[in-house]
Amino acid sequence: MRSHRAETFTRVIDAVFACNGGFLAAGDALTAPAGLTVAQWQVLGFLEDGPATAAEVARRRGLRRQSVQETVNRLLRNGMLDRLPNPVDARAPLLALTRQARAAMRALGEAQVEWAEEVAAEVPLEDLETTLRTLQRLRGVVAQPRLL
């Protein structure tokens, strides 16, 4: 029999999955005019801070390396990314945004802020801050290796 804490945690997981589905649908609507997918937007958003390898993007975003590499390959074909030499590992090129990608990210950034303002207006700021702290803590906890 599950404890109340385990039952509540399971309900949190279900709510996060449901929210994620909604966020992905909203992201698809935001990215479509720029000719991008949500996955591509995630990769480009990470690279706005500077060049990185596909493995670094996957690790920091908590995504599978193979799916990030597939996304990177599409972005390279579409002229959104450039490959740069990696002085640390010649086999893993650094990925950098092109001018085209920077323009798309600026447009997406404006649309995302407008959307976020609308959605956030429906939830008290204190609740958003508590949710953020809780999700960050849970991410750290679930990242620790455990036996199932």
Side-chain angles (χ1 to χ4, degrees):
M1 184 168 172
R2 280 196 252 194
S3 70
H4 180 66
R5 181 181 299 260
E7 182 65 35
T8 301
F9 179 61
T10 299
R11 290 175 55 212
V12 167
I13 292 168
D14 289 343
V16 167
F17 285 157
C19 282
N20 186 58
F23 294 152
L24 291 173
D28 284 339
L30 287 169
T31 59
L36 295 171
T37 66
V38 172
Q40 291 169 336
W41 189 19
Q42 278 189 304
V43 170
L44 294 176
F46 182 87
L47 295 171
E48 279 187 305
D49 292 335
T53 65
E56 288 172 317
V57 173
R59 187 171 41 258
R60 295 277 306 281
R61 289 288 195 202
L63 302 169
R64 290 182 317 120
R65 190 193 165 304
Q66 182 179 353
S67 63
V68 169
Q69 189 60 59
E70 290 169 6
T71 300
V72 162
N73 290 343
R74 280 192 298 276
L75 289 166
L76 286 164
R77 282 193 304 272
N78 295 341
M80 300 296 254
L81 292 179
D82 285 328
R83 283 188 181 105
L84 304 175
N86 184 345
V88 176
D89 183 353
R91 296 169 301 159
L94 294 173
L95 303 165
L97 300 183
T98 63
R99 259 185 270 156
Q100 179 184 350
R102 289 190 188 287
M105 292 303 287
R106 275 191 302 278
L108 282 170
E110 293 168 12
Q112 189 276 334
V113 166
E114 186 177 314
W115 175 83
E117 289 288 350
E118 279 182 40
V119 173
E122 301 291 323
V123 181
L125 180 58
E126 183 178 302
D127 289 356
L128 291 172
E129 290 169 341
T130 298
T131 301
L132 176 60
R133 282 192 307 275
T134 302
L135 290 173
Q136 288 170 332
R137 176 114 187 248
L138 285 171
R139 183 174 184 191
V141 170
V142 299
Q144 297 171 7
R146 299 183 188 285
L147 296 175
L148 296 178

